[in-house]
Amino acid sequence: MNTTIATPVAQLAVSTVIFSLRAGSTLWLPLVRRIREPFEGQWALPGGPLGANESLADSAARTLQQTTGLTPRYLEQLYAFGTVDRSPSQRVVSVVYWALVRPDEAEQATEGENVRWFSADELPELAFDHNTIVEYALWRLRNKMEYSRIAHAFLGERFTLAQLREVYEAVLRRPLDPANFRRQIEAGQSIVATDEYLAGGRHRPPRLYRTNESIDLAENGPLPEQGAPHALR
Amino acid sequence: MNTTIATPVAQLAVSTVIFSLRAGSTLWLPLVRRIREPFEGQWALPGGPLGANESLADSAARTLQQTTGLTPRYLEQLYAFGTVDRSPSQRVVSVVYWALVRPDEAEQATEGENVRWFSADELPELAFDHNTIVEYALWRLRNKMEYSRIAHAFLGERFTLAQLREVYEAVLRRPLDPANFRRQIEAGQSIVATDEYLAGGRHRPPRLYRTNESIDLAENGPLPEQGAPHALR
DNA sequence: TTAGTTCAAGTCATTTACACCTTTACTCGA
DNA sequence: TCGAGTAAAGGTGTAAATGACTTGAACTAA
């Protein structure tokens, strides 16, 4: 074997942008406070160096679990960021993933001195180029919302059509006609009606639906390394 | 500074899948023969280790230039591949780009013992997981063809509508109605009619068009590190 | 019982997509 | 020089998708 082990030109890190919906209508994401230089004390995306025996997606899932306690239902690679000057001193190439979690999962997440949730519209100044990264992740989320069915990853097992519509309205930031929304969703095959109804509101109880597991909701093409353990298919 | 320089868990490499259209109707891509282990003698995607003072996109452009002599008009990041076992011995994480070149550029490319063009449908068994990578790049190309205007990157300065349609037909592998194609393209703003015509055929000379530079043809969103020097915007 | 709310379903006009047809303009060979 | 061949350019009709709006049903709370 004549392979020379070159001195590394860059550190390899994996980070993740996690989205959730708080109060059912605003996009929130968890950030972690940096506990060392550079950017000590500033907020940053959860992540860390790639482990020796884990794939990129596994690394994203692990660091997520360790820093925020979250295990997202949806995890997909976003982009690899590698400009020379994006980190002072040692050069870092970051493979960034993006994830969606349900509101109930998000509430279980550890929140404290070093982990806090922020509104996606009102972020502080983040470490490194993480503001840029979040902006791109937001674009990807909104874009993907229009041609795939990832909205389901924000919801639990059972949900009403109104809840699903509210997810779309929150992410796309515009109201949708309930009647037309119903027609379009029913035309597709992405959800299945159950025979349960949600009682309790002061109105006619809406029917509960569940996602159709046999339909590909992500539309990511023939990707070999398929997301996290619980990746949406 | 208390940053510890960890021993690298993986080598960082950048590779590129380059597509071109030969004879105006079949997808071709250049491969390079490996001159060292592992996979010595087998065909692989052009690429190499990331240089110390270049961004990921610059590295893709440079290795492309060195191995094939090509400077693609379109260059976009495809995916970062990083499963643990994708390379024997030393672990390698590859950030893969994909590129489009015009047929006339492709002809200038060096072809010889160590560089050869292959039909995208009839590839040999490649080194590493490069067959998988090419398959994914093909999916991305065909997918992107349907919602963006990247087809223009296959063509030169001036082209007829029939030529543009042939690009679509070749990539999507199905015939398109010339009349409807004309209307759809004209409805968009991606091309501009010139007052030139292409004479020589035994039929009415078709009008020549050029791409509208002021329109974003790639639709990649707010990406910071924008492709290669000549990236299509 | 009644008012209020939302689900659920239906109507209608407009736009868009697609298949097919006709005319026009040019080149080339007889 | 004339006719045949070819593809551009433009047109028409039908089906599907979309958006704005309307109606009725089901339930809660007062």
Side-chain angles (χ1 to χ4, degrees), chain A residues 38-87:
Chain A
F39 297 102
E40 182 173 347
Q42 269 188 264
W43 297 100
L45 294 171
L50 176 68
N53 282 308
E54 59 187 4
S55 68
L56 298 171
D58 289 345
S59 178
R62 176 184 56 81
T63 54
L64 223 55
Q65 175 65 40
Q66 288 176 353
T67 54
T68 67
L70 290 168
T71 311
R73 270 169 44 105
Y74 183 78
L75 185 66
E76 180 193 333
Q77 193 181 109
L78 177 69
Y79 201 76
F81 295 85
T83 46
V84 180
D85 60 348
R86 55 184 293 275
S87 170

Side-chain angles (χ1 to χ4, degrees), chain B residues 162 165 179 182-183 202-204 206-207 209:
Chain B
R165 178 170 47 82
R182 162 180 304 276
R183 238 171 329 167
R202 44 182 301 166
H203 53 75
R204 172 177 172 175
R207 181 185 285 270
Y209 293 81

Side-chain angles (χ1 to χ4, degrees), chain B:
Chain B
M1 178 75 61
N2 56 0
T3 314
T4 52
I5 308 289
T7 43
V9 294
Q11 281 271 88
L12 233 178
V14 179
S15 301
T16 308
V17 187
I18 315 142
F19 294 113
S20 188
L21 283 175
R22 277 274 168 97
S25 59
T26 17
L27 272 172
W28 288 80
L29 51 94
L31 297 172
V32 296
R33 192 191 295 275
R34 282 191 60 81
I35 54 173
R36 62 180 61 177
E37 291 293 343
F39 297 103
E40 181 172 348
Q42 270 187 265
W43 296 100
L45 294 171
L50 176 67
N53 282 307
E54 59 188 3
S55 69
L56 299 171
D58 289 346
S59 177
R62 176 184 56 81
T63 53
L64 222 56
Q65 175 64 40
Q66 288 176 353
T67 53
T68 67
L70 289 168
T71 309
R73 272 174 37 110
Y74 184 78
L75 184 66
E76 180 193 334
Q77 194 181 108
L78 177 69
Y79 201 76
F81 295 86
T83 47
V84 180
D85 61 346
R86 55 185 295 275
S87 170
S89 62
Q90 166 76 344
R91 182 176 177 191
V92 178
V93 171
S94 287
V95 178
V96 180
Y97 280 73
W98 63 291
L100 305 180
V101 292
R102 303 199 303 252
D104 56 299
E105 291 174 324
E107 280 172 24
Q108 297 166 14
T110 41
E111 176 150 12
E113 181 67 24
N114 293 324
V115 180
R116 195 186 298 171
W117 289 74
F118 292 85
S119 163
D121 302 322
E122 301 162 8
L123 291 180
E125 196 172 328
L126 305 184
F128 308 104
D129 52 357
H130 288 190
N131 283 98
T132 311
I133 294 178
V134 171
E135 202 181 327
Y136 180 52
L138 268 169
W139 177 85
R140 181 93 140 241
L141 167 64
R142 294 193 163 117
N143 202 259
K144 194 141 196 171
M145 207 73 165
E146 300 190 359
Y147 68 87
S148 77
R149 325 261 188 214
I150 44 168
H152 302 260
F154 280 112
L155 298 170
E157 285 294 303
R158 299 277 184 278
F159 50 86
T160 69
L161 280 180
Q163 288 170 339
L164 183 60
R165 178 170 47 82
E166 280 162 14
V167 172
Y168 276 91
E169 289 179 337
V171 174
L172 300 178
R173 290 175 298 183
R174 61 185 158 91
L176 301 173
D177 184 272
N180 295 332
F181 180 80
R182 162 180 304 276
R183 238 171 329 167
Q184 287 171 11
I185 293 293
E186 282 176 343
Q189 305 289 310
S190 55
I191 60 168
V192 178
T194 69
D195 49 4
E196 300 169 57
Y197 294 84
L198 181 64
R202 44 182 301 166
H203 53 75
R204 172 177 172 175
R207 181 185 285 270
L208 287 169
Y209 293 81
R210 61 176 176 81
T211 69
N212 184 351
E213 303 294 343
S214 63
I215 296 285
D216 172 47
L217 301 176
E219 318 219 358
N220 284 329
L223 266 178
E225 181 192 26
Q226 206 34 283
H230 302 278
L232 207 62
R233 294 236 56 190

